[in-house]
Amino acid sequence: MRKIEQIEQQISELRERLKNHELYSHLSEVQDIKIFMEKHVFAVWDFMSLLKALQLQLTCISIPWKPSNNAKTARFINEIVLGEESDVNEKGKPKSHFEMYIDAMNEVGANSERIFKLVNATNSIQDIIDNLPNSDLEKAEKAFLEFTFNTIETKETHKIAAAFTFGREDLIPDMFIAIIDKSNNSHDSKFPKLTYYLNRHIELDGDEHGPLSLEMISELCGNNENKWNDVLEVSIEALKKRISLWDEITDKIKQKKPAYNIA
């Protein structure tokens, strides 16, 4: 895992910036949580596209079935797909994490209209690329999604895995722990769906999916120095896009608070 450790060291400053982002200190009221979720939901959705892109390339989902080139990576991705696409919610009902997130948004009174407008208008990656520039999404939201789908469009598995692992999956436990720690704990009893979603992500991504994703990166890159360089480049850009999204959410929350609007 020496290469993995080198990557982690090289992106550690960006990860720390994200882990200690100002955003978390502003998630203290229900209105703040609503704003956060209405923008973060785009990252929840496109994460699933990264996941399915990896499944397309690392497993066989066509007929007739043929064995994958690497059974180990196929197993990694299938285990993650099981957890993300068909987990169980707080009532034991099978649901994807995206659907759980939408349920949590409804619970807190967040508006899911924008995400469904995008999802319902999208049937291909080209739809995303064509529609984003003229969509009603904000600047960082657009840039975030453009980066994700442009990465997918490369069809280079190690790059997609880098965005999935270092820009998302490996980072999620740190981000969600920070949200839980710095937001008002009284929300726990008010919003059981949101609390369950956050805790479930911490459990799966910290204990299972994160380590699996790191192993997948090692399997995909092997001793290919060019691939490791690509992984670093994509990881840095993915983290920068996440920080920009967090900056945009923070600014929007501040705009709603009287203390930040005094002339």
Side-chain angles (χ1 to χ4, degrees):
M1 296 286 281
R2 190 174 65 85
K3 285 289 187 181
I4 288 288
E5 291 166 1
Q6 288 176 0
I7 295 285
E8 290 182 325
Q9 183 177 12
Q10 289 170 297
I11 63 174
S12 61
E13 184 178 345
L14 287 170
R15 285 174 60 94
E16 282 302 306
R17 282 176 58 189
L18 203 45
K19 184 178 178 181
N20 299 305
H21 199 283
E22 178 189 3
L23 168 64
Y24 309 125
S25 65
H26 293 286
L27 295 174
S28 57
E29 301 175 4
V30 175
Q31 183 61 32
D32 308 331
I33 300 294
K34 288 181 183 179
I35 292 170
F36 171 79
M37 297 186 79
E38 287 170 5
K39 293 175 73 66
H40 175 243
V41 68
F42 293 100
V44 177
W45 175 65
D46 79 339
F47 170 81
M48 295 302 296
S49 292
L50 284 169
L51 176 60
K52 298 306 283 186
L54 288 171
Q55 189 180 32
L56 279 169
Q57 296 195 37
L58 295 175
T59 72
C60 180
I61 58 172
S62 60
I63 300 172
W65 177 87
K66 295 180 181 181
S68 62
N69 293 329
N70 188 321
K72 189 174 184 180
T73 54
R75 180 178 176 85
F76 289 161
I77 207 66
N78 280 332
E79 287 188 17
I80 295 172
V81 168
L82 175 64
E84 295 288 341
E85 194 173 35
S86 53
D87 199 6
V88 291
N89 67 6
E90 79 284 359
K91 295 182 178 179
K93 180 180 178 180
K95 278 197 174 184
S96 69
H97 283 191
F98 174 76
E99 292 169 299
M100 288 186 203
Y101 199 85
I102 294 296
D103 287 345
M105 288 181 71
N106 293 334
E107 180 180 60
V108 305
N111 191 332
S112 59
E113 181 179 340
R114 287 195 312 144
I115 183 62
F116 278 114
K117 182 179 179 181
L118 178 64
V119 171
N120 293 336
T122 301
N123 294 304
S124 68
I125 292 179
Q126 194 59 48
D127 284 345
I128 287 283
I129 294 171
D130 290 344
N131 296 336
L132 271 180
N134 298 316
S135 72
D136 60 358
L137 271 64
E138 295 180 303
K139 182 177 179 180
E141 294 169 338
K142 289 180 181 180
F144 193 91
L145 292 174
E146 284 171 352
F147 171 75
T148 294
F149 286 97
N150 284 333
T151 301
I152 291 172
E153 192 70 350
T154 68
K155 296 182 171 58
E156 294 186 72
T157 312
H158 65 290
K159 291 183 179 180
I160 300 170
F164 177 87
T165 301
F166 292 107
R168 306 295 188 87
E169 198 73 4
D170 189 43
L171 184 68
I172 283 172
D174 285 348
M175 292 195 306
F176 283 169
I177 287 169
I179 290 171
I180 289 177
D181 285 347
K182 294 185 180 180
S183 63
N184 191 331
N185 289 331
S186 66
H187 292 327
D188 291 1
S189 58
K190 292 181 182 178
F191 307 132
K193 293 182 185 297
L194 176 58
T195 301
Y196 178 87
Y197 174 87
L198 293 176
N199 285 325
R200 187 64 177 147
H201 255 284
I202 290 169
E203 177 186 354
L204 283 178
D205 297 339
D207 296 340
E208 298 177 26
H209 294 178
L212 284 177
S213 298
L214 293 174
E215 288 190 57
M216 177 176 62
I217 291 284
S218 292
E219 286 287 322
L220 291 172
C221 293
N223 295 318
N224 188 317
E225 197 66 31
N226 289 333
K227 287 186 176 181
W228 282 110
N229 290 336
D230 287 342
V231 165
L232 176 61
E233 182 179 337
V234 170
S235 300
I236 288 172
E237 193 60 30
L239 289 169
K240 286 180 178 179
K241 289 293 187 291
R242 175 74 72 165
I243 289 169
S244 294
L245 180 62
W246 260 215
D247 289 344
E248 190 172 79
I249 296 173
T250 303
D251 289 343
K252 190 159 186 121
I253 290 173
K254 283 183 174 181
Q255 289 168 14
K256 300 290 185 179
K257 291 181 182 290
Y260 293 98
N261 291 296
I262 298 175

